[in-house]
Each structure stands twice: as structure tokens, then as C-alpha cells.
Amino acid sequence: MSIAIESPDQPDVTALIAELDAYQDSLYPPECRYALDLASLKQSNVLFAVARDSTGQAIGCGAIVLEPEFGEVKRLYVSPRGRGQGVARGLMALLESRAMAAGCQLFRLETGPYQPEAMGMYTSAGYARRGPYGDYKDDPMSIFMEKRIEA
């Protein structure tokens, strides 16, 4: 497996993002989803990582949007064929490392209550629950988390 910062606009990566969208569509109503589109993922303040299997196929992806006050984890997803191999942790480690190199010391994210595996992974990676931030509203379909890195 390899994990690297890549462009999101590659055919196998856009297929993976479509898989993520279909998965989230099965869990949450549209008004409770805060996904970034492809154009947003290509912005200069976004770090986008891709995990690839031994054949070079994309099996996971994730992003951190670098805001002035914090980095927001977005679009973290591992395809079912890549689960159980540490892919999500590897993606998070690379994204956080690159964000910290850019001066980021606070990470935030929004996830949903129907993704207990994701919440467990975030908790074990040092994220703790918090209230809404930014433009997010308090919503029972949203769980907000953050992690602070001490310099």
C-alpha cells in the first residue's frame, strides 16, 4: 500500500469519491451532508491524500482544508476492499503531518452518528467531541470533534 498527496481529479479517485457519496447518501439526508465537491478539493489550501493498493488502485482518500485557525478533515473514506488494513490511520497520519508542517496545530471534523467505526478511529487518534464550529449548526445528524497538537 502507498499513501501520497495527489490530485483528486483522477478517474479512479473520482470513482472512489462517488462511492463515498453513495455510501453517505444511504446514511444521511442531503441537508445533513457537508461534502466538498471536486473543485473545492482542488483549492490551494486543501491537502488531498490517496491510498493505493499493491496494484495501484485507489482504495482510500481524505483531505484537510487549511483554514487560518484550524485544519478541517474532510472526505476521509476507505473502500470496503481496503478496510481493516490501517488505511484510514495512514491517511490521517500523512494529512496531519503535512498540515502540521504548514503550521496547523488544531484539527476539526464533522462526522455522523451512523458511522461508529469512523468515530472510533477518530477517538483512538486523539480526537474528542466538541460543539459545532464555523458555519455548522447543532444537528443530531452531526458529531463534531477536534484534536489539538502542542508545538
Side-chain angles (χ1 to χ4, degrees):
M1 175 181 56
S2 66
I3 300 174
I5 300 296
E6 296 186 20
S7 173
D9 65 352
Q10 303 171 73
D12 62 341
V13 177
T14 57
L16 189 67
I17 292 170
E19 191 178 305
L20 165 60
D21 288 341
Y23 172 66
Q24 289 184 329
D25 285 344
S26 75
L27 297 176
Y28 305 105
E31 67 273 13
C32 296
R33 294 188 51 242
Y34 306 100
L36 295 180
D37 62 15
L38 189 59
S40 298
L41 291 171
K42 293 171 61 177
Q43 296 300 308
S44 62
N45 68 322
V46 177
L47 299 169
F48 188 85
V50 177
R52 296 185 177 278
D53 65 16
S54 60
T55 69
Q57 273 298 111
I59 57 171
C61 63
I64 289 186
V65 179
L66 297 172
E67 301 289 353
E69 303 85 28
F70 59 89
E72 184 175 15
V73 177
K74 300 291 285 183
R75 300 302 239 159
L76 187 67
Y77 178 70
V78 177
S79 177
R81 67 186 183 279
R83 292 183 186 158
Q85 303 172 43
V87 175
R89 289 185 190 284
L91 286 163
M92 286 293 290
L94 176 65
L95 289 166
E96 287 178 349
S97 172
R98 292 291 183 94
M100 287 184 294
C104 185
Q105 293 183 309
L106 178 63
F107 299 96
R108 291 182 174 159
L109 61 88
E110 181 272 340
T111 189
Y114 302 135
Q115 295 170 274
E117 297 85 0
M119 288 185 293
M121 193 277 298
Y122 292 134
T123 299
S124 69
Y127 286 77
R129 286 192 186 212
R130 57 152 295 136
Y133 58 91
D135 293 334
Y136 292 106
K137 306 287 185 250
D138 197 7
D139 181 335
M141 291 291 112
S142 288
I143 294 172
F144 304 99
M145 303 180 86
E146 77 176 13
K147 174 181 177 178
R148 183 172 300 277
I149 307 294
E150 301 302 325

